[in-house]
Amino acid sequence: MSVTPTVPNIVCLICVLTLKFISPVSSQCSGSALTLTASDDLTTVTSDGYSSGSYASDLSCSWLIDSGSSAETVIVFINHYDIDASDTIDIYDGFLTSNSSLKSGLTGNGNDKEVLTTGQYALVVLTTDSSGQAQGFSLQYVKAADLSGTGCTAEQTLTATSAEQYLTSPAFPSSYTGNSNCRWLIEATEGAVYFELMLSDIETSPNCGFDYLKIYDSSYVCEHTLTVDACTRYPDGNTATYTSNGTSVLVLFVSDATVGYKGFKLKFSAVSATTTVATQTAASEDTGFALGMGVGVATGVVSTLMVIGIIQIIKSRLQASKLGSPRVRNVLPLQTPTSFGGKTPTGNGHLPNGHILRNGDIPGSQRFSVTSSISSSGNSSRNGRTPSTGHSSPNHSDTQNKNNNNYKRNGVLPTNIGHV
């Protein structure tokens, strides 16, 4: 069965849509405040007519921002305001206009105005008259608490899980303490660490020489794994989202003894390991440098391996060449002759005529060597001849020869002459 829309039905539908999308905006300017619940993430709210360029006349609009807990406060950042001279913005530290004022009678044009409550609530009020209009305001708010843990007294290890967790500078959301030296190691049991730098309000200085926040894609300090290097005031401070290449991320926060600001707020969790995609405003040049260094090191390693391979090939070719053409010739073993021209040497190497066999007496491969004995006086005798006495008599004895310190060979070989 089909139902044909009637005019009353269409009118009711329009009424419902109007109430749904218009009444929240209208209620904030009808005498009762619109309640906004602050979360750990920065949330943006604008005045009525901000996007169109002008708010209406004779308005009294209010927004009540609630942190949700008495243990957490609220930070309100006014990113931009454009208020006519006869109109004002007021921010109160509580849920009533009778509470103490955090900002009173804000008018004109500007930005970078932040306020911090002492309790759970912040009340924002815009009052206009009929004399003139302007664009209005855009602000951000976030609940805040000091979530620095023990990382500023000693390195603290935080375990990343699938649930989102938060990390802040010391004393956040108040100004961070001077001479801070904080170190946190965020580890995932598996997969990778995802982090989002949500808020950065740190003293600006050249090369981050005074105060800084550094985040490394590793468990140790290494300039080539530096992913965040922040030292800029909000709202121009760094923001970043990053997924680590490994299972750990190292966070460092350092401040000097002088001025301090809000610091930082970081969100992190464990995710499945995927290809890293990083975005960072006011990004450091170290990211590009690290990539260039990585490519350079890889190229150097490949080149070194190629050179080593070529050297090994050349060495193996040379060794093969040496094995194929040896320089050492084979030498036949020395043989002792058994007869020479019908004459047989005795066991001591003598021929029957009393001569000692010499290399020159043995033809070809039948040669063998006889080593002459050297006398203590440095003279040697061969075949009964000595340099000092000439031919010796065969009747002279070995004892007499030894007494004269001369060895004579008169048919007898000295005992220290060996055959080779």
Side-chain angles (χ1 to χ4, degrees):
M1 180 179 66
S2 62
V3 177
T4 302
T6 61
V7 173
N9 289 338
I10 295 175
V11 171
C12 290
L13 179 60
I14 294 174
C15 292
V16 170
L17 292 176
T18 301
L19 289 174
K20 181 177 181 180
F21 294 103
I22 304 299
S23 60
V25 177
S26 301
S27 65
Q28 66 201 20
C29 300
S30 62
S32 61
L34 174 64
T35 300
L36 305 172
T37 301
S39 69
D40 286 299
D41 297 321
L42 282 167
T43 305
T44 302
V45 62
T46 60
S47 58
D48 186 20
Y50 181 82
S51 58
S52 61
S54 177
Y55 50 76
S57 299
D58 299 319
L59 294 177
S60 178
C61 309
S62 56
W63 298 261
L64 180 62
I65 304 172
D66 181 5
S67 69
S69 169
S70 59
E72 295 176 307
T73 59
V74 176
I75 307 177
V76 178
F77 296 97
I78 305 176
N79 296 332
H80 174 252
Y81 63 94
D82 180 19
I83 306 297
D84 184 74
S86 59
D87 305 328
T88 60
I89 298 175
D90 296 280
I91 303 178
Y92 299 94
D93 189 11
F95 55 90
L96 300 172
T97 56
S98 59
N99 293 127
S100 60
S101 176
L102 298 173
K103 287 291 180 183
S104 178
L106 186 61
T107 189
N109 189 294
N111 59 13
D112 195 22
K113 303 290 183 179
E114 74 276 350
V115 296
L116 172 64
T117 65
T118 59
Q120 181 176 346
Y121 301 100
L123 181 63
V124 180
V125 178
L126 171 64
T127 304
T128 69
D129 60 15
S130 59
S131 63
Q133 292 81 37
Q135 185 176 6
F137 67 83
S138 173
L139 60 82
Q140 289 182 302
Y141 58 93
V142 62
K143 68 180 182 179
D146 183 356
L147 302 176
S148 61
T150 60
C152 295
T153 55
E155 180 175 301
Q156 181 181 8
T157 300
L158 304 173
T159 301
T161 65
S162 58
E164 293 179 342
Q165 301 178 66
Y166 297 87
L167 176 66
T168 69
S169 51
F172 187 84
S174 300
S175 297
Y176 49 77
T177 54
N179 295 319
S180 295
N181 189 0
C182 310
R183 187 181 182 111
W184 301 271
L185 179 62
I186 304 175
E187 293 183 324
T189 55
E190 60 181 2
V193 176
Y194 168 83
F195 72 81
E196 178 183 348
L197 180 57
M198 306 164 53
L199 172 65
S200 173
D201 184 32
I202 302 171
E203 181 183 7
T204 303
S205 61
N207 300 317
C208 296
F210 300 152
D211 306 339
Y212 61 80
L213 169 69
K214 294 181 184 291
I215 305 178
Y216 297 88
D217 185 5
S218 62
S219 59
Y220 52 89
V221 174
C222 176
E223 65 176 278
H224 303 311
T225 61
L226 182 64
T227 60
V228 172
D229 192 4
C231 60
T232 311
R233 293 294 319 279
Y234 181 89
D236 299 322
N238 297 56
T239 58
T241 58
Y242 192 83
T243 301
S244 67
N245 290 298
T247 58
S248 59
V249 165
L250 181 65
V251 180
L252 302 182
F253 178 74
V254 174
S255 67
D256 60 15
T258 57
V259 298
Y261 297 97
K262 292 290 182 295
F264 72 90
K265 186 172 185 178
L266 181 75
K267 177 169 65 176
F268 65 91
S269 61
V271 295
S272 300
T274 57
T275 303
T276 298
V277 177
T279 60
Q280 177 182 345
T281 62
S284 170
E285 294 179 358
D286 288 315
T287 303
F289 176 76
L291 178 60
M293 283 295 296
V295 174
V297 170
T299 303
V301 170
V302 172
S303 301
T304 302
L305 292 176
M306 291 179 64
V307 171
I308 293 174
I310 293 172
I311 293 173
Q312 292 298 328
I313 292 173
I314 294 174
K315 289 175 65 177
S316 63
R317 293 290 178 87
L318 291 175
Q319 291 175 356
S321 176
K322 290 180 180 180
L323 292 175
S325 302
R327 294 182 179 180
V328 180
R329 297 178 180 177
N330 295 327
V331 179
L332 294 174
L334 186 66
Q335 299 178 354
T336 302
T338 58
S339 65
F340 305 94
K343 300 178 180 181
T344 302
T346 62
N348 57 8
H350 290 225
L351 289 176
N353 60 3
H355 287 85
I356 300 173
L357 296 177
R358 298 182 180 178
N359 289 341
D361 299 328
I362 303 170
S365 62
Q366 293 180 336
R367 295 175 182 173
F368 70 100
S369 299
V370 176
T371 304
S372 298
S373 174
I374 307 300
S375 67
S376 62
S377 62
N379 298 319
S380 64
S381 64
R382 295 184 179 91
N383 296 332
R385 183 184 299 273
T386 65
S388 59
T389 61
H391 291 283
S392 65
S393 172
N395 296 324
H396 290 177
S397 66
D398 288 342
T399 304
Q400 182 180 1
N401 291 336
K402 290 179 181 178
N403 292 333
N404 295 331
N405 291 327
N406 291 314
Y407 290 103
K408 297 182 180 180
R409 294 177 183 145
N410 188 16
V412 180
L413 284 172
T415 58
N416 63 342
I417 296 179
H419 294 270
V420 178

